[in-house]
Amino acid sequence: MLRIYRFAGGLLGLIAVWVAALRSDLQPDQYLAVLLAPVFFLALFGLYSVTSLIYGVVTFRTVPEEATALRQDIADARKDLQAHNIS
């Protein structure tokens, strides 16, 4: 099964539970909490995403050998372009 189908099924289930909770007999403060729950979870997801991104940037590995190989590849490509009178 594709991941998007699992994601959509889970999201549909959460929406169904949320709508059922909204339609139930709740006190006004409970109704407001249920009503704002998607906003709260969206904010938590955004916080998780930003935290994951920052963690990935901080722990990104640098490989000096690959940097040297990349510089050599760039130099070779420039020489090849100059040999073909390009740029």
Side-chain angles (χ1 to χ4, degrees):
M1 179 185 290
L2 293 176
R3 185 177 295 175
I4 189 71
Y5 293 143
R6 282 186 277 157
F7 177 74
L11 186 62
L12 188 62
L14 286 173
I15 290 172
V17 169
W18 180 68
V19 169
L22 280 177
R23 300 183 119 227
S24 65
D25 189 26
L26 296 173
Q27 300 296 326
D29 56 341
Q30 293 172 335
Y31 181 79
L32 182 63
V34 171
L35 187 64
L36 295 178
V39 175
F40 175 72
F41 286 121
L42 188 63
L44 282 179
F45 178 71
L47 184 63
Y48 169 76
S49 298
V50 168
T51 304
S52 297
L53 181 67
I54 291 171
Y55 176 77
V57 168
V58 168
T59 60
F60 187 75
R61 296 183 311 137
T62 54
V63 183
E65 299 85 21
E66 291 299 321
T68 305
L70 181 61
R71 284 190 197 103
Q72 184 61 41
D73 288 344
I74 291 171
D76 292 343
R78 284 185 178 158
K79 288 179 188 175
D80 190 42
L81 287 172
Q82 287 175 351
H84 289 86
N85 293 327
I86 301 173
S87 92

